[in-house]
Structures are given as structure tokens and as C-alpha cells.
Amino acid sequence: MKRIFKGDIIYTSNPKSFEIYEDSYLIVENGVVKSICKDLESISDDYEVLDFTNKLIIPGFVDIHLHSSQYLNIGLGMDKELIPWLNTYTFPEEAKFKNIEYAKIVYEKFISDLINKGTTSSVIYATIHKESTLLLMDLLNESKLRAYVGKVNMDRNTTEDLCEETDRSLRDTEDIILGTMGKNVKPIITPRFVPSCTPELMRGLADLANKYDIPVQSHLSENTNEVEWVKKLHPEIKNYASVYDEFGLFGQTKTIMAHCIYTTDEEIKLMSERGVFAAHCALSNYNLSSGIMPVRKYLDYGVKVGIGSDISGGNTLSIPQSIVSTIQASKIKWLESGKELYPLSFSEAFYMATKGGGEFFGNVGSLEKGYKADFLVIDDSNITNHNEFGAFERLQKYIYSGNETNIIKVYVNGERVK
Amino acid sequence: MKRIFKGDIIYTSNPKSFEIYEDSYLIVENGVVKSICKDLESISDDYEVLDFTNKLIIPGFVDIHLHSSQYLNIGLGMDKELIPWLNTYTFPEEAKFKNIEYAKIVYEKFISDLINKGTTSSVIYATIHKESTLLLMDLLNESKLRAYVGKVNMDRNTTEDLCEETDRSLRDTEDIILGTMGKNVKPIITPRFVPSCTPELMRGLADLANKYDIPVQSHLSENTNEVEWVKKLHPEIKNYASVYDEFGLFGQTKTIMAHCIYTTDEEIKLMSERGVFAAHCALSNYNLSSGIMPVRKYLDYGVKVGIGSDISGGNTLSIPQSIVSTIQASKIKWLESGKELYPLSFSEAFYMATKGGGEFFGNVGSLEKGYKADFLVIDDSNITNHNEFGAFERLQKYIYSGNETNIIKVYVNGERVK
């Protein structure tokens, strides 16, 4: 049986413009978009119509970089840069996830807020702990959200209680891969970043990625001190990206690198060649005084770019707030670059937050035919009252000034999760 | 009779640190803070206690630069810079306020949202229209909010339907001054900015400001094109600030200048000498690709700085979102300045959004003895759940990740308005 959703449908199939179908019908079959039409006359078989007239129907948001275990730390320690922030706030919090009871409390709250804020697909860092990582994956499976989850790997330069033995780190990772096969929520190989992974660990993780065809995520060139540190740790390798590449973790399987602020042109070119996704985390990059990623340059080089909330370096799970910050940051970059790197348009940033990041999952993040039916129903009546705005203006107003209370329903694979 | 409010009280009396009184009593008499104490034993006379145990009690927010008439335009046209944005979106919207019915609909919504978002004091631009400006002042008086409202003056370089005759502009302004004497909501002289005011108009407005001791507000050095334009209009005057000064609108009475991004050191020094307030509007400055104000430099020069949402250049009335953006922008400025202009701390930005801007009104924006009892009750239980945080951490988490649904009560002069 088909399910049909009536409303003002708007999405991006490319970064340059919106597809807009006002007062139309979104037809969903087996969790996938079948078509959008203006009337239902041509449809002969059984169907159920859910009427969201005057509401916006938009793709669910895609968050390709966030740390679920840092959820309770949101908004804390924003007076520090990356490395001291990790040591003072983040590592002590992550160490608590050895305790599965604690993990359960945080992860249940995290998932419920993820749904409330309309994020239907996400690529997540858990912690080094196998049990609580498996728990997070179970809870996400129950929630029906779409996700990749990474057990974090670290065997050097971290606090004592988060530093793993290399063998154990690899064994736990493989256990998770084997234990979650065939489930909706998938594992992703997650070396935290070069400074906290020995060559042996990186090589071992690359072997697992290849053996089981598992994707990879990590951090790249977020902070100048971090870049210097990597140079000291691997003086024989020409740049940061090439360290990952040398150890087989840079596009050998599907890969996301987060931040990418101080990356050289040579590294960006390598990302483009290898199909490595960049996760842009504007809010986090502001908060930790990291800098502004030159997104326009990546797009010009043909790199795929998605958006990451990067909680709790980022201060909110809200992807609309990240869209706004992404556009704002690109405007400052435009000024900084002597008006060379042109600012991102609203459609470009919206695309990044939906179909752009969604491509990491496959046909996700759009409402074109054949795409997963992941979408939000937005009641924007408290934002737009009185003036008669079209769907494009209403979407802008919702993204720039709305919040999660405007999201009245959330669907994943055509099934309601909020 | 006294009214006593129990809760976790936190505010800034200076920019460097917070005053924190957990589980304490805020004692209010005749709309003014009398004291804060740990127990009530010493209080002998009649009182009523309102129990907000486990809730935060913080000063109401102060917004010293916003355009009420642009409220319905929030989130629109953010792909433009200042001058084209004014001509395409802003001036056509402002022209609608000739219609008093339209004004009533927008202003009622605006005031209700101002209260919901916890802004208890604001310094507002209306439009050129006398009737709708008087209506806004009446509605604000009814709401009990604290406000200055300016009828905008423009007699050159604007659209035909917003361009006033100089005499009429001055006469309408004086009518408003005379018609609102003795009321809570006060008028403020509001030449829009130098490009839209002839020397004759500026001189006439300065005369009114002096005659009735009325404060002044305008815009200063928001955009490089605007600065160039002013130079062309007044080649005989050495800089933008000095144009206002020459015509008697730069601190001769209490004055606010908004934006101040491209101001020279000489101009900043003049602001400091004249006690001119700077309204920092980080979100608007991002959205209109204007640039980042070097706030640290102003503070170092001893200029008083408050925060403005600057809707609809800014994309939200929420002052917490402006606080976050203010801190973030200062971090980017720190990087841009070669780490010379040190980032703003959380307490500095919170101070700017409360007591800093509040000083324009008098004893406003703090919960010290003798200050107006303008405060918010914050239920942050959905943000802080599980972990035991102190009031300082809870405030950070609310500002960085909360929203208006956390504000459960709003008081002005000790009276409840939400």
C-alpha cells in the first residue's frame, strides 16, 4: 500500500536551486519516494492520505559529524581551544561511558533530542568502550533513525583511562563489526585523529575497513597546533592527509574527514580524487577558536561537503542553526579572502545539510524519486503569520528563525518516528 | 509589601565574573532589588514568597539596537549586502507602516515575541510614520516592557514613499516627544544614518535632542560601501563619526551608534570621550556580509558596548543567540588580528547583554541592590538533566543551547509580564 503526504514540498536536488511543489502530494511506497504530483486522479490502487496542507514537507537533516558521548557537555568550556578543551572537558566525560548505566541515560536523551531536532541520518562518534557503543547502536536501531556509529580508537596521547592497548582496540572494533552485521545501524571505523593513534593501530584499522568494507571517519586539520603536532609525530610524511592515506584510511573505503580548515590545496585535491567527504562544522570551529573552513574552495575542487553539528565542540544538535552558521562563516571567509571565495547561497548550505551529506548513506537527503522517504513536517504558522510567503521564503524563515517546536512530525523510511 | 523570589540567582555586576547566589532569596520592594539573602529570618515585615527552587533567576536581556518594523522580514534576503538589502527588502516593508492596521498586527506579534524571548529592555527603530510609531509606544506601555522608541528620520537617498520633507520630519518628531512625555516608554531621536539625512535635518534633530534632553541613536560604519558613500557626501569632514559630531548628534545627549565595524581609532577615541554607546550586532554583521566589529578594541578604549539583535539584519530576537555569536565573532577576530584582540569571555558577553546595554536606561540589567527588578525565571531541567551542574555551568548551557521555552516567567519592575 502507498502512503501519500499532502503539503508544500520543498527540497534541493542540486546545490543551485530548490524544487518546489506547493499544495502537492508526496507518494511513498515501501519507504521510498515514488513521485510527487499535483492531483491524485491517476492513482488507482489503495492508498492512505495524510493531510499536511499549509505545512512544509522537507527532507530530514543529515549530520555527518557528531560526538554522542559529549551530549551532556553541550555549552561547557567554550573558552578553550581544541587540545586543552579535550583534556579538561571532553576526555573526562568520555571516560564515564565505561559505565553502561550512565551511557544509557545519556544516549536515550541524545536520541530523543536528535529526533526532536529533525536529524534523521547521522554519522556518530561514540567512545572507546565496546559495550556502550553497542548499546548506542541498539538504541538507534530501536529509534528507526538512520546512522553510522563508530567505536573510537585511541592508543596514544590521551588520558590513562581512555588509552587502549592496540590489540584490544582492534579486537573490540572487529567484535562490533561482526556483532552488528545485517542491522540498520552500521559500524564505521573511527581512529580519533592521528595524534591519538599509533601507526600500528591505523594499519590494523585500515585492514578491518578493507576486510569488511566498512567506511572510515576521522578529524583533519582542525587547529594549527594540531597540524604542528602531526608534523612532529610524522616528519617523514609530507602532510596531515597523507598520514591517513599512507596508512590506508583516506578513501580506500568511503571516508569522512571533519573540519579541514588548514588543509593545503594538495590535500584538498587528494580528497577530491579519493572521493573523501568533508564534514564542515562551523559552530564548533567558532567555539574552539579553530578558524573558518574555506568551503567554497572545496566545492570548486569537487569535494563532497556535508554539515556536522560536532557536539559538543558545536553547541547545538540543531542542523538549521548549523546551516545559518555555515552561510555566515562563508561570508566572513569571503571578506577575509579579499572577496575571492564567494559566499555560500541558502540553497547550497541547505543542500549540504540534506542531499550533500546524505550521499554518504546512498539515496538519502532528497525527495526525488527513488530516495528514502526521510522527511519532516514543519508547522511554520508562528513564524510567517500575516504576510503571504511562498514555500521558498517560508523555508528561509524557518531555517533562520525557527526551532524544534516547528517540527511537528518526523518520518524515516516513510515511518513516523516523531 | 515586599515580594521575594527564591531560586538560583546569577548575574554580572562587572564584565569579569558572575555573582552567584544558589538557593537564595531575591527581595524586591517597589519594583527595585533590595537585597539577596540566604535565609529569611532577618525579615520582619509582610512579604510574599514566590518559590522557584532549582530554577535560575537571571537579569532580563537588554537589546539596544533593533528594527521592530522589519519583524516579519526575519530570515529573508540574507544573500544581499546592506545597501541592496535595504532597497529590495527593507524599505518596501517599512513603507507598509503608513497603514496603521498593518502596523498593529506586526507590532503586537513583535511585542509578544520580545517578551517570550526574555528581552525586557530595548532601544527600537520604528519607521518614519508618526501614527504607527505612537501606536508602538502605546502597545509597549501596555506590555510594561522598558523601551526607547525612535520615529525614523529620512529626507534623502531613500525610496519615494519613505522620503520625508525636512520640516515635516522634524515636526512629527517633536509631536511624538510632546505626546509621550511622562510615559514609561520614551522617545529617542533617530536619524537613520548619514546617507539618508540632510545636514538641515541632522541640525534640526540635534536641536530637538538638546531642547528636550532626548537621547539619540543611529548607525555608524557598518559596511565599506556605506563608509565610502558618507565620504562622498561629506568630503569636508574628516570621518563618519565626525559628521554626526559636527551636527550635534554624537554624545551631546546620551547616544547609541550601531555596528561600528570600520571605525578608525580616532573615532573610537571620540566615542569613548563622549560616552557614546556602541551596539554590537554580530548576527546582522554576519548576515549582511558586513564584517566583524573589533569589540575588544572598544572595551580597551573604555567605550560602553551593548548587544543589538538588529532584526531583521539579525535573524532572531533571541539575545542568547546574539551572546553566543558575539563570543564566536570575537574568536574569529582574535585569529584575524594575529591573536592580538583577545576573545570575549562568557561573562563579558553576558554583561554586554544585560548590565552593559542596561546602563543606557540607568540602573538596569543587574540584580544588585538598587537595580530595577527586571528578571527571568529559567527552567533548564531539559538541558541539564542527570549531571549535577552549578549555576554558572547551567547558565552557560542555557545560553548556548536553550531557547525561549526555557523562560517560564518574565518580570519587569518586579511585575510579571510572562
Side-chain angles (χ1 to χ4, degrees):
Chain A
M1 200 180 96
K2 295 184 177 70
R3 299 185 80 193
I4 297 181
F5 302 85
K6 186 182 181 208
D8 300 318
I9 302 159
I10 178 166
Y11 61 91
T12 46
S13 64
N14 69 73
K16 296 295 174 201
S17 61
F18 284 92
E19 314 292 320
I20 300 173
Y21 301 87
E22 293 184 338
D23 206 30
S24 296
Y25 299 89
L26 177 75
I27 298 166
V28 174
E29 210 170 318
N30 300 322
V32 169
V33 175
K34 210 179 161 202
S35 63
I36 295 174
C37 62
K38 251 319 216 192
D39 61 65
L40 294 180
E41 280 169 25
S42 58
I43 299 179
S44 53
D45 37 322
D46 271 3
Y47 56 79
E48 171 196 11
V49 177
L50 289 95
D51 189 353
F52 299 120
T53 299
N54 295 326
K55 310 283 184 288
L56 293 172
I57 295 179
I58 69 173
F61 298 117
V62 179
D63 188 338
I64 66 165
H65 184 74
L66 70 164
H67 297 261
S68 53
S69 57
Q70 298 168 18
Y71 189 57
L72 291 193
N73 268 2
I74 274 190
L76 293 185
M78 307 274 80
D79 54 341
K80 300 215 179 298
E81 279 187 82
L82 177 65
I83 310 298
W85 172 80
L86 282 172
N87 290 317
T88 313
Y89 291 93
T90 307
F91 289 153
E93 180 65 17
E94 289 193 13
K96 295 184 189 167
F97 286 73
K98 195 180 173 181
N99 176 346
I100 195 95
E101 303 301 322
Y102 185 76
K104 186 161 187 280
I105 291 166
V106 178
Y107 286 155
E108 282 178 345
K109 169 77 174 157
F110 162 74
I111 291 169
S112 132
D113 286 359
L114 207 56
I115 294 171
N116 275 328
K117 294 200 197 287
T119 301
T120 49
S121 297
S122 43
V123 187
I124 300 172
Y125 286 58
T127 58
I128 60 161
H129 311 93
K130 181 168 82 171
E131 286 72 25
S132 56
T133 301
L134 284 167
L135 171 73
L136 173 60
M137 295 175 85
D138 285 345
L139 293 170
L140 282 163
N141 272 313
E142 281 169 32
S143 77
K144 298 181 187 158
L145 291 176
R146 196 181 300 289
Y148 284 100
V149 173
K151 175 209 127 35
V152 172
N153 304 94
M154 295 197 271
D155 70 343
R156 65 174 172 182
N157 295 321
T158 181
T159 52
E160 204 181 325
D161 45 3
L162 289 178
C163 200
E164 304 173 287
E165 286 175 23
T166 310
D167 284 352
R168 170 76 188 272
S169 180
L170 291 168
R171 212 163 50 240
D172 283 356
T173 304
E174 190 162 19
D175 286 350
I176 290 173
I177 294 169
L178 295 171
T180 57
M181 278 184 168
K183 298 203 173 154
N184 283 328
V185 172
K186 308 284 184 205
I188 181 166
I189 298 287
T190 306
R192 188 179 203 114
F193 65 157
V194 167
S196 58
C197 300
T198 61
E200 192 189 352
L201 178 59
M202 287 192 273
R203 257 184 234 109
L205 290 171
D207 289 345
L208 289 174
N210 284 325
K211 181 172 174 190
Y212 297 103
D213 192 23
I214 305 289
V216 169
Q217 64 179 345
S218 196
H219 297 86
L220 180 66
S221 298
E222 176 175 1
N223 176 294
T224 50
N225 296 330
E226 171 209 7
V227 174
E228 285 304 307
W229 194 8
V230 171
K231 205 170 274 173
K232 269 186 203 147
L233 289 167
H234 298 279
E236 74 289 1
I237 303 179
K238 62 180 171 182
N239 57 41
Y240 196 163
S242 298
V243 179
Y244 289 117
D245 193 39
E246 183 112 345
F247 295 110
L249 295 164
F250 207 71
Q252 285 75 6
T253 60
K254 200 165 61 172
T255 299
I256 297 173
M257 287 286 152
H259 306 303
C260 308
I261 300 173
Y262 297 103
T263 332
T264 62
D265 288 7
E266 193 183 353
E267 289 172 290
I268 300 175
K269 210 164 152 244
L270 187 65
M271 289 180 76
S272 172
E273 285 165 14
R274 295 291 170 80
V276 171
F277 284 70
H280 176 40
C281 311
L283 283 167
S284 170
N285 298 339
Y286 282 149
N287 289 332
L288 299 179
S289 300
S290 301
I292 299 178
M293 175 184 169
V295 179
R296 174 64 65 206
K297 201 191 254 192
Y298 284 78
L299 297 177
D300 288 347
Y301 270 101
V303 176
K304 295 163 184 173
V305 185
I307 281 181
S309 66
D310 192 27
I311 58 157
S312 67
N315 56 286
T316 173
L317 273 176
S318 160
I319 292 297
Q321 278 185 246
S322 277
I323 292 174
V324 171
S325 288
T326 292
I327 298 170
Q328 292 173 336
S330 76
K331 290 173 177 174
I332 297 301
K333 201 74 203 171
W334 175 65
L335 292 173
E336 271 184 7
S337 69
K339 307 201 174 177
E340 252 195 62
L341 297 174
Y342 208 71
L344 297 174
S345 68
F346 180 64
S347 65
E348 285 180 307
F350 188 85
Y351 179 90
M352 282 168 55
T354 53
K355 191 175 172 182
E359 194 185 337
F360 193 76
F361 292 84
N363 281 351
V364 167
S366 178
L367 297 174
E368 291 155 77
K369 183 179 175 176
Y371 272 69
K372 302 289 184 184
D374 299 354
F375 59 90
L376 317 178
V377 180
I378 308 292
D379 180 349
D380 59 333
S381 53
N382 71 329
I383 304 172
T384 54
N385 68 328
H386 195 71
N387 274 357
E388 295 263 326
F389 294 113
F392 171 61
E393 289 167 316
R394 288 167 59 199
L395 181 65
Q396 285 184 77
K397 290 180 74 63
Y398 159 62
I399 296 289
Y400 270 99
S401 70
N403 65 29
E404 63 265 33
T405 60
N406 299 107
I407 305 175
I408 57 168
K409 299 268 192 304
V410 177
Y411 291 84
V412 178
N413 291 317
E415 280 190 71
R416 185 170 156 198
V417 301
K418 171 179 178 177
Chain B
M1 199 179 95
K2 294 183 178 68
R3 299 185 81 193
I4 297 181
F5 302 85
K6 187 183 179 209
D8 299 319
I9 302 158
I10 178 166
Y11 62 90
T12 45
S13 63
N14 69 73
K16 295 295 174 201
S17 61
F18 284 93
E19 314 292 321
I20 300 172
Y21 300 88
E22 293 184 338
D23 207 30
S24 295
Y25 299 89
L26 177 76
I27 298 165
V28 173
E29 210 170 317
N30 300 323
V32 169
V33 175
K34 208 177 162 203
S35 63
I36 295 173
C37 61
K38 251 318 214 192
D39 62 65
L40 293 179
E41 280 170 23
S42 59
I43 299 178
S44 52
D45 36 321
D46 270 2
Y47 57 80
E48 172 196 11
V49 176
L50 288 95
D51 189 354
F52 298 119
T53 300
N54 295 326
K55 310 283 184 289
L56 292 173
I57 296 180
I58 69 173
F61 297 118
V62 180
D63 187 338
I64 66 167
H65 184 75
L66 70 164
H67 297 261
S68 52
S69 57
Q70 298 169 18
Y71 189 58
L72 290 194
N73 267 2
I74 273 189
L76 293 184
M78 306 273 81
D79 53 341
K80 298 214 180 299
E81 281 188 80
L82 177 64
I83 309 299
W85 173 81
L86 282 172
N87 289 317
T88 314
Y89 291 95
T90 307
F91 290 154
E93 180 66 19
E94 289 193 12
K96 296 183 189 168
F97 286 74
K98 194 179 175 183
N99 176 346
I100 195 95
E101 303 301 322
Y102 185 76
K104 186 161 186 282
I105 291 166
V106 179
Y107 285 155
E108 282 178 345
K109 170 77 174 157
F110 163 74
I111 290 170
S112 132
D113 285 359
L114 207 56
I115 294 171
N116 276 328
K117 293 199 196 287
T119 301
T120 49
S121 298
S122 43
V123 187
I124 299 171
Y125 285 58
T127 59
I128 61 160
H129 310 93
K130 181 168 83 171
E131 285 71 24
S132 57
T133 301
L134 283 168
L135 171 73
L136 173 61
M137 295 176 86
D138 285 345
L139 293 171
L140 281 163
N141 272 314
E142 280 169 33
S143 78
K144 298 182 187 156
L145 290 176
R146 196 180 300 290
Y148 283 100
V149 173
K151 176 208 126 35
V152 173
N153 304 94
M154 294 196 272
D155 69 345
R156 65 173 173 182
N157 294 321
T158 181
T159 52
E160 204 181 326
D161 44 3
L162 289 178
C163 199
E164 305 173 288
E165 287 174 22
T166 310
D167 284 352
R168 170 76 188 272
S169 181
L170 291 169
R171 211 163 51 238
D172 283 355
T173 304
E174 189 162 19
D175 287 350
I176 290 174
I177 294 168
L178 295 171
T180 57
M181 276 183 169
K183 296 202 175 155
N184 282 327
V185 172
K186 309 283 185 204
I188 181 165
I189 298 288
T190 306
R192 189 180 202 112
F193 65 156
V194 167
S196 57
C197 301
T198 61
E200 191 189 352
L201 178 59
M202 288 194 271
R203 257 185 234 110
L205 290 172
D207 290 344
L208 289 175
N210 283 325
K211 181 172 174 190
Y212 297 104
D213 191 24
I214 305 289
V216 169
Q217 64 180 345
S218 197
H219 297 84
L220 179 66
S221 298
E222 177 176 1
N223 177 292
T224 50
N225 296 330
E226 171 210 6
V227 174
E228 285 305 307
W229 194 8
V230 171
K231 205 171 274 175
K232 269 185 203 148
L233 289 166
H234 297 278
E236 73 290 0
I237 303 180
K238 62 180 171 182
N239 57 42
Y240 196 163
S242 298
V243 179
Y244 289 117
D245 193 39
E246 183 111 347
F247 294 110
L249 295 164
F250 207 71
Q252 285 76 6
T253 59
K254 200 164 61 170
T255 299
I256 296 173
M257 287 286 152
H259 305 303
C260 308
I261 300 173
Y262 296 103
T263 333
T264 62
D265 288 7
E266 193 183 353
E267 290 172 289
I268 300 176
K269 209 162 152 247
L270 187 65
M271 289 180 76
S272 172
E273 285 165 13
R274 294 292 169 80
V276 171
F277 285 69
H280 176 41
C281 312
L283 283 166
S284 170
N285 298 338
Y286 281 149
N287 288 332
L288 299 178
S289 301
S290 301
I292 300 178
M293 175 184 169
V295 180
R296 174 64 65 206
K297 201 191 252 191
Y298 284 78
L299 297 177
D300 288 348
Y301 269 102
V303 177
K304 296 164 183 172
V305 184
I307 282 180
S309 67
D310 193 27
I311 57 155
S312 68
N315 57 287
T316 174
L317 274 175
S318 159
I319 292 298
Q321 277 185 246
S322 277
I323 292 173
V324 171
S325 288
T326 293
I327 298 170
Q328 291 173 336
S330 77
K331 290 173 176 173
I332 298 301
K333 201 72 203 172
W334 175 65
L335 292 172
E336 270 185 8
S337 69
K339 307 201 175 178
E340 251 194 61
L341 297 174
Y342 208 71
L344 296 173
S345 67
F346 181 64
S347 65
E348 285 179 308
F350 188 85
Y351 178 90
M352 282 166 55
T354 52
K355 191 175 172 182
E359 195 185 336
F360 193 76
F361 292 84
N363 281 351
V364 166
S366 178
L367 297 173
E368 291 156 77
K369 182 178 176 178
Y371 271 69
K372 303 289 185 184
D374 299 355
F375 59 91
L376 317 177
V377 180
I378 308 292
D379 180 349
D380 59 333
S381 53
N382 71 329
I383 306 173
T384 55
N385 69 328
H386 196 73
N387 273 357
E388 294 264 326
F389 294 114
F392 171 62
E393 288 167 316
R394 289 167 58 199
L395 180 66
Q396 285 182 78
K397 289 178 76 62
Y398 159 63
I399 296 289
Y400 271 97
S401 70
N403 66 28
E404 64 265 32
T405 59
N406 299 107
I407 305 174
I408 57 169
K409 299 269 192 303
V410 178
Y411 291 85
V412 178
N413 291 317
E415 282 188 71
R416 188 171 154 197
V417 300
K418 171 180 178 177

